[in-house]
């Protein structure tokens, strides 16, 4: 046996008995190869096996940290203590355990590699088993306990109650909004919790923290009344408004309609932003359903009180065209104040199919206030009312059998629309354009052609003037008729000029009136407008009378 195998070899004497381990039966020279160190290890290994087999407790010293755990001194040899077996709680500071002496049990022995795994956690769990049983036997709903925050996750907090873990769900941490549990508690924090529910079989315990304090809504009536001013943080934005947290557990809604008296707010983000602290006024408290209605515009005086004084009925103003719809024009009287000029109130004389034929965005338009709805906050304006109704004059100018000339303004299926000298529109049925039947009007008549006409019907109430070329030419000289036929060469016009001519049929006139008057008869159309001035949702509902 080499001298290096002997510790303190100078103390050995001839005749002393020592333990040795046979490494080889025979070396190159035929001698046995012995080891004192190996013998010492084998003796310790036998002791370790006994510790493992009997699950005895022994002490070790933690030497150093390695990947996955710690190295400990077990009876003079190095053993492995996994990180998960150090404590029942997750270890966050491994370096703090170095050089500590702890009790362990040998949990695994690997003979081929002579590796040993030990555990400190199994001893702690055995100690906690009795505590768990005692705690579980005393558990009841409503019991208040003290525990330590063991782990924090996105959905809640695990609290160690002394050997038994319970979960405080994120919704049970606070009466207010909680984005993440770390906003409320920290790791290793000692806190009080109340038992909400438990399952003995699955060892699950549901805990709560907010239940230890009264619900903020219980005393809301003592703090907030109607018209009370409050400050709060914007915690949520929706299409219809913003939710404001005025204190933990109490949120109110500022509806989009309560944000501005005059501005057409499409989305609350135009006025407020997430996290912003805003001032508001309490409008309504529904304690039963825990709903709080708030308003921002109420912080300022209602401008409509001044607007009604500033824009009285029949007052005349100038405004800028801001938006065009099928049913009218929205005119801005001042920033944030719009009024509607219905399509029927644009002109006394023109049959307007769309407001775009009459005005363009950005045009300055003279208007007169014809109605104010303070409750719905709407102003009805008129443009044609700036001037007197010319139909009183037209009644004399365009009486039946009067002769005039007019320019073709528009061609429709049943005839042509002409513009008379006073700017008023009239209708010439297709049967009254030529002595011969006209199958395709646009083949023989063009926009801008001037026609000789006679008034055959005048209706002041429905603002209708029906005219006829045929009646105008009926008793004229042949040369006049021939000249007209040459400029509008309808086939067989000369032949039919010698025969009796039919007057405009009621059907032709009815078709014309249905096409044009329906666009302007606002008595038969009710319009519901929601913020139409900015192009928002517009609902048009037609209620047709039996007539």
């Amino acid at each position: 046996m080499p001298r290096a195998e002997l510790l303190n070899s100078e103390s050995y004497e001839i005749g002393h008995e020592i333990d040795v381990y046979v490494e080889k039966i025979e070396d190159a020279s035929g001698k046995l190869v012995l080891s004192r160190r190996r013998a010492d290890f084998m003796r310790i290994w036998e002791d370790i096996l006994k510790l493992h087999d009997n699950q005895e407790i022994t002490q070790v010293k933690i030497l150093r940290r390695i990947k996955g755990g710690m190295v400990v001194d077990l009876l003079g040899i190095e053993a492995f203590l996994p990180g998960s077996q150090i404590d029942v709680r997750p270890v966050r500071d491994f370096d703090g355990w170095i050089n500590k002496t702890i009790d362990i049990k040998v949990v695994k022995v690997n003979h081929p590699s002579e590796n040993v795994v030990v555990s400190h956690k199994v001893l702690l769990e055995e100690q906690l088993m009795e505590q768990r049983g005692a705690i579980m036997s005393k558990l009841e709903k409503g019991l208040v306990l003290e525990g330590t925050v063991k782990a924090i996750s996105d959905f809640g907090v695990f609290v160690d109650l002394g050997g038994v873990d319970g979960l405080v769900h994120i919704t049970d941490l606070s009466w207010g909004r909680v984005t993440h549990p770390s906003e409320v508690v920290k790791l290793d924090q000692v806190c009080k919790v109340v038992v909400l529910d438990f399952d003995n079989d699955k060892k699950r315990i549901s805990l709560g923290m907010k239940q230890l304090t009264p619900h903020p809504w219980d005393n809301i009536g003592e703090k907030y009344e109607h018209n009370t001013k409050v400050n709060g943080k914007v915690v949520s934005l929706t299409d219809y408004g913003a939710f404001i947290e005025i204190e933990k557990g109490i949120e109110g809604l500022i509806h989009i309609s309560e944000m501005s008296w005059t501005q057409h707010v499409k989305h609350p983000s135009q006025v407020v932003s997430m996290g912003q602290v805003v001032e508001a006024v309490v409008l309504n408290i529904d304690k039963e359903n825990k709903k709080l209605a708030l308003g921002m515009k109420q912080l300022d005086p209602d401008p409509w009180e001044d607007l009604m004084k500033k824009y009285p009925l029949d007052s005349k103003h100038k405004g800028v065209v801001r938006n065009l719809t099928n049913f009218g024009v929205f005119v801005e009287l001042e920033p944030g104040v719009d009024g509607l000029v219905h399509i029927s109130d644009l002109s006394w004389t023109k049959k307007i199919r769309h407001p775009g034929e009459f005005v363009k965005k950005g045009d300055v338009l003279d208007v007169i206030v014809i109605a104010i709805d303070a409750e719905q906050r709407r102003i009805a304006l008129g443009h044609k009312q700036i001037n007197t109704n010319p139909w009183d004059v037209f009644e004399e100018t365009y009486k039946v059998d009067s002769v005039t000339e007019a320019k073709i303004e528009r061609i429709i299926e049943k005839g042509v629309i002409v513009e008379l000298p006073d700017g008023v529109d009239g209708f010439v049925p297709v049967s009254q354009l030529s002595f011969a039947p006209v199958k395709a009007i646009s083949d023989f008549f063009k926009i801008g052609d001037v026609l000789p006409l006679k008034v055959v019907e005048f209706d002041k109430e429905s603002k209708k003037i029906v005219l006829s070329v045929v009646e105008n030419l009926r008793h004229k000289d042949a040369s006049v008729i021939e000249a007209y036929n040459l400029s509008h060469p309808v086939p067989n016009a000369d032949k039919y000029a010698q025969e009796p001519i039919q007057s405009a049929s009621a059907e032709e006139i009815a078709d014309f009136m249905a096409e044009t008057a329906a666009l302007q008869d606002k008595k038969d159309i009710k319009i519901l407008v929601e913020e139409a001035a900015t192009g928002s949702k517009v609902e048009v509902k037609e209620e047709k009378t039996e007539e």
Side-chain angles (χ1 to χ4, degrees), residues 9 49 219 265 407 486 490:
S9 59
L49 292 178
N219 301 317
V265 182
K407 181 174 61 176
L486 288 174
V490 179

Side-chain angles (χ1 to χ4, degrees), residues 44-45 63-64 80 185 204 206 213 227 289 340 371 407 412 415 419 468 473 492 494 528 537:
I44 295 173
W45 185 256
L63 300 178
R64 62 184 182 276
F80 178 56
V185 296
R204 289 180 181 174
S206 296
T213 59
N227 287 332
N289 296 310
L340 172 66
K407 181 174 61 176
I412 62 177
E419 183 181 28
S468 172
L473 298 177
N492 300 317
D494 294 336
L528 178 64
K537 172 184 175 184

Side-chain angles (χ1 to χ4, degrees), residues 37-53:
R37 289 184 178 180
R38 186 62 180 171
D40 290 340
F41 174 81
M42 294 304 297
R43 187 177 64 250
I44 295 173
W45 185 256
E46 290 176 1
D47 293 339
I48 291 174
L49 292 178
K50 289 179 182 178
L51 291 175
H52 178 257
D53 294 338

